[in-house]
Amino acid sequence: MPAAIYAEGLVKTFGDVRALDGVDIEVPEGSVLGLLGPNGAGKTTAVRVLTTLLRPDSGRAEVAGFDVVTHPGEVRRSIGLSGQFAAIDDYLTGRENLQMVGQLYQLTARDARRRADALLERFNLADAGDRTAKTYSGGMRRRLDLAAALVISPPVMFMDEPTTGLDPRNRMALWAVIEELVAGGTTLLLTTQYLEEADHLADSIAVVDHGQVIARGTSDELKSRSGGDVVEVVVHAREHLPVAERILRRLGDGDTTLVEHTRKLSVPAAGGAKLLAEVIRELDGEGVEIDDIGLRRPTLDDVFISLTGHGAEEENGTPATDEATGEEGEK
């Protein structure tokens, strides 16, 4: 399929900080790309370049078939953007916020009202539509911001860490809205710090660190690069450790690891849940009593440590987001 979002060799610097260092991005029409990375990795800068809010120092990019530098107006008319911080007016009602956006897109006052009403219903905000936005909860503000980005039903959407700061319930609700958009054919570029979010929503993932794309692939491919799933077993009696270790070594996909004082054994598990069931049967057959057993999937830190040698929360020496501008600058 043709690419709805395409970038090649994007470079952007802020003083001595190289926020983007030759970034390549390609998102086919109707698909979701997750840009995964820690704060300061360059994700927000990439979004700002692709949405024409920043001009790249070098490289080129096209969105919906239009060059972001030479045809920024056409790009803006083809996209929706939901940033890290809800871009709504606290002193307007939810309905007034949406009507204002519609009129900025040159909808008639009547069409803007109709669109606002439809979006308030869609995002479960109809009952709060006539309340000022400053009275909204964090989850409601996020939903209103996303609704504003959809006033013109854009074919391409950019969401910059849309669920940061939301509780699990509101995060799941927003995921459902995003899935509905994609099912309708919208192309989406999503930035996130959460592997779980990228895993749930993205068709493919690009891992960004220090302004560069350091890995690409599906969620499963990235997890495999960080070691894949691991079966962990805590045996009840210390004397059963040798038997349990022998079973894990035979059924697992690599060397076993033993933490003796907690009686916990672990082994890479290429077979996932199927292997876990086999381990349980074998342990039971050998009379090994267990206190706990489970299948641990790689975390965001596992992926980052595997790819970069540092965890996702370690930001020393990386660009950090300036909350005032949304740009990456020095810490």
Side-chain angles (χ1 to χ4, degrees):
M1 291 185 293
I5 303 170
Y6 177 81
E8 181 179 13
L10 289 183
V11 173
K12 183 65 184 177
T13 59
F14 299 102
D16 295 332
V17 176
R18 203 170 177 87
L20 297 180
D21 191 12
V23 168
D24 299 331
I25 293 171
E26 186 168 356
V27 190
E29 289 182 2
S31 68
V32 182
L33 173 69
L35 283 187
L36 181 67
N39 286 332
K43 305 186 305 296
T44 295
T45 301
V47 168
R48 289 173 67 84
V49 168
L50 292 168
T51 56
T52 77
L53 298 175
L54 283 175
R55 189 183 182 97
D57 297 332
S58 62
R60 68 186 187 93
E62 292 184 356
V63 176
F66 300 106
D67 188 282
V68 301
V69 173
T70 60
H71 295 91
E74 287 85 349
V75 171
R76 291 169 190 165
R77 284 189 284 271
S78 303
I79 65 172
L81 169 63
S82 179
Q84 289 186 27
F85 307 100
I88 57 178
D89 189 321
D90 281 344
Y91 295 96
L92 296 179
T93 66
R95 180 172 282 102
E96 289 168 342
N97 266 284
L98 298 180
Q99 289 177 196
M100 177 183 67
V101 172
Q103 290 181 294
L104 288 173
Y105 276 109
Q106 301 182 338
L107 297 182
T108 66
R110 183 179 182 181
D111 287 343
R113 283 195 301 272
R114 287 179 174 175
R115 186 63 178 151
D117 290 343
L119 287 167
L120 289 170
E121 287 287 347
R122 181 179 185 181
F123 285 86
N124 296 319
L125 291 170
D127 291 343
D130 294 319
R131 285 168 40 194
T132 56
K134 67 181 179 180
T135 68
Y136 284 17
S137 67
M140 293 169 70
R141 290 171 66 85
R142 262 299 179 202
R143 297 203 303 276
L144 181 62
D145 183 62
L146 183 53
L150 295 173
V151 165
I152 60 164
S153 301
V156 180
M157 275 290 298
F158 293 85
M159 296 186 185
D160 192 11
E161 301 195 13
T163 64
T164 297
L166 295 186
D167 60 41
R169 179 173 174 271
N170 279 311
R171 181 173 294 149
M172 294 293 288
L174 195 54
W175 284 3
V177 171
I178 293 170
E179 288 174 324
E180 181 184 340
L181 288 175
V182 175
T186 300
T187 303
L188 172 63
L189 188 148
L190 168 81
T191 78
T192 182
Q193 298 181 63
Y194 306 124
L195 179 61
E196 180 189 10
E197 186 159 273
D199 190 5
H200 189 86
L201 297 172
D203 298 304
S204 61
I205 298 170
V207 180
V208 183
D209 193 36
H210 293 279
Q212 296 181 326
V213 176
I214 60 172
R216 307 170 194 269
T218 65
S219 177
D220 286 342
E221 288 168 348
L222 292 177
K223 289 173 186 177
S224 295
R225 291 181 65 171
S226 65
D229 296 340
V230 174
V231 168
E232 294 182 339
V233 179
V234 178
V235 302
H236 181 71
R238 197 173 302 277
E239 58 267 24
H240 287 156
L241 282 171
V243 177
E245 187 171 13
R246 173 168 46 83
I247 291 171
L248 290 181
R249 190 184 308 117
R250 177 165 53 82
L251 295 178
D253 193 45
D255 295 333
T256 59
T257 301
L258 168 63
V259 182
E260 193 162 352
H261 72 280
T262 60
R263 306 180 309 283
K264 182 165 75 173
L265 290 156
S266 58
V267 68
K274 182 178 179 181
L275 178 64
L276 179 62
E278 291 178 10
V279 169
I280 292 172
R281 283 195 297 269
E282 291 280 345
L283 291 173
D284 185 59
E286 294 284 350
V288 176
E289 186 178 351
I290 57 176
D291 290 340
D292 192 22
I293 188 167
L295 186 67
R296 184 176 69 82
R297 308 210 76 184
T299 64
L300 177 64
D301 259 3
D302 292 330
V303 171
F304 268 84
I305 289 170
S306 172
L307 294 172
T308 70
H310 67 80
E313 299 302 320
E314 297 172 25
E315 298 175 342
N316 293 334
T318 67
T321 299
D322 177 0
E323 292 186 1
T325 66
E327 298 177 0
E328 269 86 359
E330 291 187 10
K331 289 190 76 173

